[in-house]
Amino acid sequence: MVTRQVYLDHAATTPTHPEVVDAMLPFFSEKFGNPSSLYSRAREARKAVEEARIKVATALGASPEEIYFTSGGTESDNWAIKGIAAAHRKKGNHIITSSIEHHAVIDPCRHLEKQGFSVTYLPVDEYGRVDPAAVAAAITPETILISVMTANNEIGTIQPIAEIGKIAREHDIFFHTDAVQAIGAIPIDVDALSVDLLSLSAHKFYGPKGIGALYIRKGTRAETLMHGGGQERRRRAGTENVPGIVGLGEAIEHAVTDLEGRTRRIAAMRDRLIAGILDTIPKSRLNGHPTQRLANNVNIAFRYVEGESILLMLDYFGIAASTGSACTSATLDPSHVLLACGLPAEHAHGSLRLTLGEENTEEDIDYVLEVLPGIIERLRSMSPLTPTDTR
Amino acid sequence: MTGYSDRVMDHFMNPRNMGEIADADGVGEVGNPACGDIMKICIRVEGGRITDAKFKTFGCGAAIASSSMATEMIVGKTLKEAWGVTNRAVAEALEGLPPQKLHCSVLAEECIHAAINDCRTKNGLPAWAEGPEAGE
């Protein structure tokens, strides 16, 4: 029955690029040494880790000694937020973040609230944008950290990070950004953005899962979460995930090469997909910002139908998509991001996220545009909410 | 992809009794669009027995499959028998539901009860709160 397999969930994860796999392979069995050991086999591993660190630093406009390898985006976010909070608690107990952050930022903030911190969750406009003026207005003498994501994982809205970074710098407040969705999608330079801490995760840009990094600006004190060894200049203990680190280095080098050309091709497919859906399916609307959005993100709300049933039918036709973020698809609550954008819960339930990647083709877009209208029509015909005149 | 049984997927992709009944003898509608589930079941009752049932559902795959299965299970039953079609019976007939989706079968049971009570009150009979009394 299934005629075609189309993967449109690249914001959830990407396939590891074959060249990345090739770069990683020797570090499983041939060059398996522990980078902390002293013999030559270990030196190979040590060298590879440091080369990867240079690649990550270069991609961000940072210095290698400002890059710390972690297990991924969630650990990086946790470290940035809890680490700054613990190290600067004497200075103040207030944190500013946004209401549309990934749970890897929101949940550590909620945890800190239980420890006596106060957190401001800034609202967003209907497109999911944080207003830099609202950031400035929320600052108090107690504020020690501002954390706003570079681009949202669900609706793809790109935040005014440089402006927020400037405000943070003027007030001498640390600025963290979760750039997990932004690497390989928009140019990132930690100095131009005035960022002090930045989280990234390899599997979002064709690297392996289970490896990421936290950029910590030189001179920034952040308490260590992981104790137990001298790795990562004593700031993150644990034997290095050498194959993962090598994969991250290789993947980030690919991700920032010809960034503009690659994203232009993907953005063209995105725009055709959005226009095609909005043109052919009545009572559908685009979630997120019309222009300030990631090149690969399509997020559409369909009235009268529920998102999971759209996913199931798409899956039947070989199309892999998502509703909100993959991490929350096990819960039944509507997306906190869409609710923050002012969408009524009922409409938020009927939202579909399609995120494109390098391997998608124009034929994939044609196929989705061929299949999706029929799915929505069929589900609407089953729905008691559908008014008779839109059928 | 979601841990649904083949039976759930069958009832989701090929729903039985989807639609509405004009001048139905009983209509039940339960759920809340804000929670992401609304279920509506119409029943035709002849001689105290359900002769036809149709559903419309806004909700996830499990909600659609539960309402499809529920309509199949109540056709041919007396109102009293249909009242006894429990959420557990619906879930079992679907070869099980994932734990976070069991509420869909609860919704189906509530919807059957709502349709039956609508039929009873339309006929001047008191609604059943807990179900048929002994001797009814």
Side-chain angles (χ1 to χ4, degrees):
Chain A
M1 162 63 226
V2 172
T3 51
R4 201 180 170 91
Q5 292 292 330
V6 179
Y7 183 76
L8 287 172
D9 204 13
H10 291 82
T13 195
T14 55
T16 308
H17 196 286
E19 286 176 28
V20 172
V21 175
D22 286 347
M24 292 171 70
L25 283 176
F27 293 92
F28 285 100
S29 39
E30 246 174 83
K31 307 179 180 179
F32 65 87
N34 185 324
S36 298
S37 303
L38 292 174
Y39 33 80
S40 59
R41 196 189 291 277
R43 281 200 297 275
E44 286 177 334
R46 162 62 47 205
K47 189 162 166 276
V49 166
E50 295 316 318
E51 279 170 7
R53 200 185 306 280
I54 291 168
K55 288 177 183 175
V56 175
T58 306
L60 303 177
S63 302
E65 64 272 19
E66 296 173 310
I67 304 301
Y68 298 86
F69 294 116
T70 67
S71 61
T74 298
E75 185 190 330
S76 294
D77 285 342
N78 269 268
W79 185 8
I81 290 162
K82 294 177 191 166
I84 290 290
H88 301 276
R89 181 159 203 166
K90 280 190 183 143
K91 193 186 161 212
N93 73 340
H94 180 233
I95 294 169
I96 298 170
T97 186
S98 84
S99 49
I100 56 153
E101 297 298 310
H102 191 277
H103 282 105
V105 166
I106 290 185
D107 290 356
C109 285
R110 297 246 183 259
H111 173 76
L112 288 173
E113 283 185 277
K114 287 188 209 140
Q115 322 262 314
F117 281 83
S118 107
V119 180
T120 301
Y121 301 90
L122 292 172
V124 293
D125 66 15
E126 61 178 310
Y127 304 117
R129 291 263 286 187
V130 174
D131 179 1
V135 176
I139 293 172
T140 76
E142 294 287 306
T143 310
I144 52 169
L145 174 68
I146 297 170
S147 178
V148 176
M149 68 202 323
T150 314
N152 183 265
N153 49 308
E154 291 186 35
I155 55 176
T157 300
I158 298 168
Q159 301 298 334
I161 291 305
E163 289 166 78
I164 297 170
K166 194 163 165 269
I167 291 164
R169 185 63 56 81
E170 281 164 9
H171 290 81
D172 202 18
I173 296 166
F174 294 110
F175 180 39
H176 165 250
T177 190
D178 174 340
V180 163
Q181 295 291 335
I183 305 293
I186 53 173
I188 299 288
D189 183 291
V190 289
D191 287 336
L193 299 176
S194 308
V195 165
D196 299 308
L197 304 105
L198 179 146
S199 306
L200 61 86
S201 176
H203 76 101
K204 304 292 188 179
F205 48 87
Y206 300 89
K209 293 168 184 66
I211 187 73
L214 180 65
Y215 157 81
I216 308 178
R217 184 174 291 280
K218 199 180 278 180
T220 303
R221 271 195 308 123
E223 193 132 300
T224 292
L225 297 191
M226 212 70 87
H227 301 93
Q231 293 88 354
E232 299 297 283
R233 295 180 300 291
R234 307 203 66 82
R235 294 181 87 170
R236 201 276 187 181
T239 299
E240 295 86 344
N241 172 0
V242 179
I245 289 169
V246 170
L248 166 58
E250 189 74 14
I252 204 165
E253 206 171 48
H254 277 269
V256 297
T257 305
D258 188 27
L259 183 64
E260 209 193 317
R262 237 174 339 100
T263 50
R264 200 184 307 125
R265 188 184 80 85
I266 291 173
M269 289 195 284
R270 172 200 67 187
D271 292 341
R272 194 160 76 83
L273 188 52
I274 292 172
I277 292 171
L278 297 181
D279 283 352
T280 54
I281 305 178
K283 299 278 182 189
S284 58
R285 60 156 272 187
L286 181 69
N287 295 319
H289 201 282
T291 54
Q292 289 299 309
R293 76 185 296 132
L294 293 174
N296 74 343
N297 179 289
V298 176
N299 190 315
I300 308 253
F302 300 99
R303 294 287 306 274
Y304 320 125
V305 296
E306 195 274 338
E308 191 215 82
S309 49
I310 307 173
L311 294 191
L312 281 177
M313 285 207 180
L314 283 171
D315 184 47
Y316 181 79
F317 286 100
I319 299 168
S322 165
T323 49
S325 62
C327 305
T328 56
S329 59
T331 75
L332 305 166
D333 301 328
S335 145
H336 70 287
V337 175
L338 295 175
L339 296 181
C341 295
L343 230 68
E346 175 193 339
H347 303 191
H349 275 296
S351 290
L352 172 70
R353 181 185 76 178
L354 304 164
T355 44
L356 292 86
E358 289 173 27
E359 70 282 12
N360 287 127
T361 62
E362 296 291 342
E363 287 73 30
D364 292 339
I365 306 302
D366 292 339
Y367 181 60
V368 174
L369 290 175
E370 183 190 319
V371 164
L372 186 60
I375 289 174
I376 300 299
E377 199 183 314
R378 183 170 160 80
L379 288 170
R380 281 180 176 167
S381 75
M382 290 189 204
S383 170
L385 297 177
T386 311
T388 33
D389 57 6
T390 64
R391 265 178 233 151
Chain B
M1 84 187 234
T2 52
Y4 285 146
S5 69
D6 290 347
R7 186 61 71 89
V8 171
M9 285 309 295
D10 177 37
H11 275 261
F12 171 69
M13 291 306 296
N14 310 293
R16 325 308 196 246
N17 307 312
M18 201 275 288
E20 282 170 296
I21 298 173
D23 310 318
D25 297 303
V27 179
E29 188 167 324
V30 295
N32 176 344
C35 302
D37 287 306
I38 293 194
M39 210 175 269
K40 182 177 176 184
I41 291 180
C42 302
I43 52 174
R44 165 88 57 229
V45 181
E46 286 163 282
R49 209 169 270 279
I50 297 173
T51 55
D52 193 13
K54 295 262 189 264
F55 83 89
K56 279 207 168 184
T57 293
F58 160 82
C60 62
I64 290 171
S66 294
S67 38
S68 166
M69 179 57 85
T71 54
E72 256 200 345
M73 291 172 80
I74 59 174
V75 171
K77 288 192 166 63
T78 64
L79 291 185
K80 191 175 165 182
E81 288 163 350
W83 187 279
V85 174
T86 60
N87 69 303
R88 185 177 299 182
V90 172
E92 275 171 14
L94 288 168
E95 294 167 354
L97 285 171
Q100 76 273 21
K101 297 291 187 182
L102 279 171
H103 76 277
C104 296
S105 58
V106 174
L107 215 56
E109 179 184 326
E110 288 172 2
C111 199
I112 295 169
H113 291 174
I116 290 171
N117 274 335
D118 183 54
C119 177
R120 283 180 60 85
T121 50
K122 271 181 185 159
N123 286 287
L125 297 165
W128 284 330
E130 300 293 331
E133 304 284 327
E136 245 183 308

